Structure formats: C-alpha cells, structure tokens
Amino acid sequence: MPDKKNYDASSIKVLEGLKAVRKRPAMYIGDTSVRGLHHLVWEVVDNSVDEALAGRASRVDVRVHADGSVSVRDDGAGIPVDMHESGLNALELVMTKLHAGGKFDKDSYKVSGGLHGVGISVVNALSEWLEVEVFKDGKVYKQTFARGERSSDLKIAGDTDSTGTLIRFLPDAEVMEVTEISYEILRKRLRELAYLMGTVGMTLSITDERVDKEEEFTFPEGLKQFAGDLNRGKTIIHPVVIYIEKEVEVEVGGEAKKPYYVELALQYNDGFNENVFTFVNNINTSEGGTHLVGFRTALTRALNNYARSEKLFKGKETPPTGDDFREGLTAVLSLKVPDPQFESQTKIKLGNREVQGIVESIVGEGLRTFFEEQPAVPKSIFNKAMDARRAREAARKARDLVRRKSALEGSGLPAKLSDCHKGTRPEDAELFLVEGDSAGGTAKQGRAPNQAILPLRGKILNVEKAPVDSILNHEEINTIVSAIGTGYLTEEFDESKLRYGKIIVMTDADVDGSHIRTLLLTLFYRKMPELVNRGFVYVANPPLYMIRKGKKERYVTSDRERQAVLAEMGLGDTKLKITRNGSETVFDGDHLKQLMSLIDNLMSHQKKLPREADISFADYLAEARAPDMELPQFWLRHEGKGEFLDTQAMLDAKLEQIRGADGQLKIYEGKESGIERDLADAEVYSLHAGDQIFSLLVELQSMGVPADSFRAGENTVYEILSGARESQETDLMAAFKSVQAECEKDVVVQRYKGLGEMNGSQLFESTMDPAKRNLSRVSIDDAQETDHIFTVLMGPNVEPRREFIEKHALEATNLDY
C-alpha cells in the first residue's frame, strides 16, 4: 500500500548543534563499530600531533582507563580558554560546534591531519561524557560535557607549571555498536605516528590500565627506521636506506605560495613483492593517490636514466618497466600538504593534482643526487629489475600459453570446476576452493545452485618465495586464477571480470588443512591483493564434531565448544555437591555449566607442563592458593624427591645446596641438555603456565572453589547427583570427569577428521548453508604487521622463522600429536 501521509514543510526537520552527528554518526566517523570507535581516539590524537607539527608539542600519552574511557594528554600550547566573539569561551566553542577550530587559520597551523573543525566536536557528540583539562598560563582549566552538551561551566581546577591539553571521554553505547577499545589497534597507530614524527623529536606512549600494559615509542631516525623495520627478516640488496626530504614553496590556483614537505625512505630486498606505505599529514592513505603516482614515475625515470647514462643495457634489451623496478621495493612516503583534498571523509586517497608534480620533482632530484654519490646502489637495483623483467616475460609467455590452451578447449574455465547454475549473478555466486577430490565430490553433492566447487590437488606453491614465472607455470594456481576471472597481480586486476562475489577457502580442520589454507591466503595476499582489499575472500569453518541426542543435532568447531554443547545437551538435572569442612556448596544448571567450562579451560593448559617431568597437574594448580601468589616457574627433582620453586633465585639457591663441597653438579634439563637423566645430580624443568592459568584459578576461587580442590584430600567430598544415581569423588578433577561422563550418556559424538568424512547434506548444513554456516571474511587490519608475518612464516629465510616458533611455541593450539 502506498504511504498517503502528506509531505509538506512540517516534514522537514532541522537538527541543531551536534544532534545531527548523533543521528547519523557513520557520516562523520565511517561506521559505529570497531573502526569508527577507534576513529574517535585518532581525532583526539591527531589534534595533539598537529600541535607537534606546529612546533608546540613533543609528547602525546594515550591511556585506556579501567572504566573503558580513553584519555589523551599532550604538552602543547593548550586549547584557548578566553572568550570568543560568539559569546562562548573558545574551549566550549570547539567542543560543541561543528566546523570550529584553529585549523582554518593558516597562521596557527601550516598543516593538519584533523577533520578541519569537525573531529573533536564529533568525539564529544558521540561520548557518554567527556572531560577537558587545559594546562595554560600557570592554571588548570576544566570543563565537562555529556553527549555533546555542556554539563559544567569552565572553571579553574588548580595551578600548574606545564602546558598542554588532557581530554578524557567514554564512548556512548547508545550510538556506538562497539565500545571496547583495542590495545593492539592503538599500539599499531601510535607506533606508526612515532616513526612519522621521529625526526621532530616526538614521543608517544600507550598505557592500558585494564591489563597493566604500557609502551613508549620514539624513533629518532624516523622514516629510515620505519623502512628498515619493514625489511625485518628479509635479505636486503643495499644496506643504506635511501632518504630524501625537502620543503618547497608552491603557488596553487593563483593563491599565495604555500609550503609542501616531502619525506621519503626506501630500501630494496631480494623478494618479489612491493611494500609501499604513503602518508599525508600523518594520515595513512592506503589507496594511494597523486603522491604515489608522482613517486612511482620519478623512481622509474631516475633508474632508467641512470642505466642509460651508465650504459647498463645490453644490445637491444627492453628496459624494465615500473612494475619491474618495484619488485622487492620497500618504501615509506610522507607528505605535509597545506590543503589536502581527500576523496572521502575516511581519507584513504589523496586527490591534489599539484602534489604529483611536486613529489615527482623532489624525488627525482633526490634520487639523481644519491645515485651519483653511491653508484653501487642503483646498479644493484637495476640488475634486480632486469631479472624481474626476464621473469615477467617468461610469465607472460606462460600466461599466453594457458589462454590459448583454454581457448582451444572451449569455455576457458578449468575442466574440474563445477560451476554455478546458469543465470546466477556474479555478486550472488560463491566459489569454494576445496581440499582434495574426495571433499570436492562431497561438496558437489550438497551444494546450492549458486555455489561453484573447485577441488584442489595437494598443496599449491608457496608464492612468497617463488618468482612470477614459476608461479604461473604452476597448474593449480593457473586453475584458481582462471576460475576467478579477474586476472593476476594488481595491475591486471579487473573487478568487472570477477565471476564470484565470495571466494571461500574450505579445507580440513587439521594441520594439513591449515597449511593449505595458509598457502592459498598467501597467494591472494601477495599476488591477487585486490581480492582481499575489496573483501571477496572468506574462510569456511568446518566442524570438528557432530553431537546428537535424540532428534537434536549440533555441529561444533572446537573442543571447547564441544564441552559446552555436551553440557547443554546432556547435563539435565545433574548436580555437583561439594562438602568442605562441614560446609556445602551445590552447583547445578547454568552455575554447573560455568564451572565445567572453567575447569575444561584449565585442563587445556595441562600440555604446557613438560611431560617427561611427571608433574601432577593437580599438585601444580594447588601451588597457587592465594589470589596474590604467582604459579611456580620451576620443578626440581633431587634424590627422587620433587618440589616446585617460584623464582630463579630460589632455584639457584637449591642447586647451590646440591652442588656440595667438590663443586661438581650435573643438571638434566630435558632431552636437549646433553646429560643423561640417570647420571644427573638434579633434574630441572622450566614451567610455562603463564598468567592465563592463574587468572582462571582466581576465577575458580571467586566461585567458592579453592585451587587446592584439585588435590585429593580428606577434608572435601564431591558428590555427583543425577536422578537416582549418586557417586562420590575425592578431588575436583575426578568430579569433573564424572560429571562429563554423565553429560555423554545417551549422546552420540561423531568426530570428523576431514571434509570427505561427511556426506553432502551434512557438509552443506554445517559449512556451506548461508543460513547456518560460519564464514570468516579475510581482511588486513595492520598492513605492516601482516607483511612482516608473511615474510617470517612463508619467506625464504629460516632463522627468523625459527626464532618466531621458539618465541610463540607455547601459544600454539590445535596441533596434531
């Protein structure tokens, strides 16, 4: 039925002040989830950084408080507090009015990264409460706000010898979908800013009161350190980081000349990937823009000109292209632009036309000077580019061969691809990359009409350490690229040819499946990055178990979830009664489920204890009896008797006692110690329980169950009551196993070791059905760290990988034994 309500002047609503921001927050901060939440913090931080750009600040401290609020403190000049011509004090004006701020005044800020008077007022509008303290003229001025409105007048709160601004705010849950600040997201951005502001002597710190963590970042060499750190774990081809920086005055559009500052650091490695980060006024322009175009043009021209002048071309060789010169390139380009024009509010692409020529000129001149002073560097870069050109030519021939072969065969699609039904729109189509022919056959049986299945044979090539020609000669990779349809590499990517709106990696839930999934993600991230950047790549989460009781069936993807579902399905009226020194505590229903989940979580950490030490996990847990006591770090066995020791000092003292008068001591420290166990005077084992176990024990005690309940004793009796059945145990772990046995009665648990073990309907229902499945979209939150992880784990250098494994070995889960 059409809406017959009148549409007249009364239908027009005017939202005064910051009400429009609260009504449509996504228009101002992008969204109201994780990204938008942290955007609020960045607006405050950017204002503090702008103070440093103006030469008035050298330090920014960010603190996440225990109540979830965030504060940002700088040592700048402080927000003005005097009266404004509008009738409001200047502080209240910038906090409550859109488009009010010092960044419109060119004498106050030459450049800035904030939202030109929108940012800080938007933060205020989207905060449950916000407090501002200004340290200025020997006084501390304070004013508070609530949801964008003033909640107190400006007042003097004390005296001070410092200057600066402190803003503390609590994101408003009424408008924000997410309100929990991420330490890692803050850390990544603050570290990035410290690189960018390093040469001006700026320090940034982060403190998280929730987890008692703090870090401080300062990088005196700025972008040089940034580029060098980006190449961690890679083999560099020239040790010196090429560094260029210059400020020029430029006239734009007939206006007075304005300053443009260009800073660049670059270094090549022997890899096959380009890794370039660009910034404008400290804003990460992840989609590049005119500055990136100018840099690439200058780099290609400078290297080709050098090669011609030094006669590095042989005969009639074709010169390298820009793509060849960017293979193995790591670079950071940072600009300060007086009037940046971004293509969107989120500022991911620069549009200033004049910037391209400015960057091209400054970078070109800087490279020419550097090449003249250090000729060995451009020669090594040019030789690498020539290798890249030859590989590219070989890859082109391989690609052309594949295309000709596909044309002769007909449709051009892989023969083993089971495509969607005809008429399916690309945006609705889904491509499942399935591990093995067996799983592929099962998936074909259960798929929906809009789902295509491409079985993969074994593990594909690791593209992280393979040249382009080797990659395109790999049959399985050719098959994947052909099926997707977009082309290969960023410069060939054509989204209009994408045949599927979702590309879903579906592998077995085991170590081999994880490896195949990682190899596929490496292919997409390194060689088809636009698929990841534009959100087309997903990972399916197949079940480990199917749990059935009567007509109820549940699929679960982890052992932890399995325990929870068993309790939900099978616990029934089972109760656990703990009698301790005459006092009874009864756990049933949700309270018992919570206890079972907690104990199961604790027991999952048992593998962190060295197996050959024969340590009782229950005895180990019982060592932490008080909430303020840490778990012991060592287990020492001497003359058949073992004991826990809390610290290295305690261990050293015990070993000194054992050493004896002759000073001889043989210590067995595991299989790698070089000492036979039966010949050792003492056996020493390091214990790696970590804070997680201790926090779980504290939670257990909060439920009224002491940690020493895991040790059998006469003081405590554990009774399991289930209907007419009744049993008793002497320790909590045994009681847990008895309750678990009750949960498993009349329940069928089926373990899936691979996708092929399910029939078509089960695979569809558990993993492929859009209404029930659990898909994870692949995205990149931290480009720098993502690049580093792929380099370490998938790259050719073994040593960084070994160090990573040693450092994180005890964090590994779901390993096959």
Side-chain angles (χ1 to χ4, degrees), residues 584-637:
E584 293 185 355
T585 304
V586 177
F587 293 86
D588 60 2
D590 290 340
H591 201 200
L592 181 54
K593 290 178 186 177
Q594 182 183 355
L595 179 65
M596 293 285 288
S597 175
L598 183 57
I599 298 172
D600 181 61
N601 197 354
L602 267 172
M603 292 178 68
S604 70
H605 291 277
Q606 186 167 359
K607 62 188 176 190
K608 292 190 176 183
L609 297 180
R611 295 184 179 183
E612 59 178 330
D614 301 322
I615 302 172
S616 164
F617 190 52
D619 289 345
Y620 176 66
L621 296 178
E623 285 297 308
R625 291 190 178 90
D628 59 347
M629 178 177 147
E630 293 184 1
L631 287 162
Q633 297 182 34
F634 302 97
W635 169 255
L636 171 67
R637 183 184 286 123

Side-chain angles (χ1 to χ4, degrees), residues 711-730:
R711 181 182 290 164
E714 298 178 359
N715 295 340
T716 310
V717 176
Y718 302 86
E719 295 179 77
I720 295 89
L721 311 172
S722 180
R725 295 189 295 274
E726 188 174 325
S727 61
Q728 289 189 358
E729 302 292 350
T730 57

Side-chain angles (χ1 to χ4, degrees), residues 53 111-112 196 223 246 259-264 277-283 285 290-292 295 332-338 340 342 350 352 354-356 358-360 362-363:
L53 289 172
V111 295
S112 66
L196 297 170
L223 297 195
K246 187 175 182 180
Y260 289 75
Y261 177 76
V262 177
E263 186 179 11
L264 169 70
F277 291 84
T278 62
F279 300 87
V280 174
N281 298 354
N282 294 327
I283 303 297
T285 47
T290 52
H291 55 324
L292 179 59
F295 162 63
V332 185
L333 175 65
S334 177
L335 271 68
K336 302 297 186 294
V337 178
F342 297 103
L350 183 69
N352 296 59
E354 77 278 4
V355 167
Q356 180 176 339
I358 294 171
V359 173
E360 195 173 321
I362 292 176
V363 173

Side-chain angles (χ1 to χ4, degrees), residues 760-776:
S761 61
Q762 289 176 327
L763 181 57
F764 178 76
E765 183 180 8
S766 64
T767 315
M768 301 173 67
D769 184 356
K772 300 178 181 179
R773 68 190 179 190
N774 178 17
L775 288 185
S776 300

Side-chain angles (χ1 to χ4, degrees), residues 269-284:
N269 59 68
D270 68 350
F272 307 104
N273 305 300
E274 176 190 5
N275 196 19
V276 177
F277 291 84
T278 62
F279 300 87
V280 174
N281 298 354
N282 294 327
I283 303 297
N284 188 340

Side-chain angles (χ1 to χ4, degrees), residues 570-576 587-589 592 720-723 739 742-743:
L571 196 60
D573 60 355
T574 302
K575 298 179 182 180
L576 173 63
F587 293 86
D588 60 2
L592 181 54
I720 295 89
L721 311 172
S722 180
V739 174
E742 287 293 326
C743 291

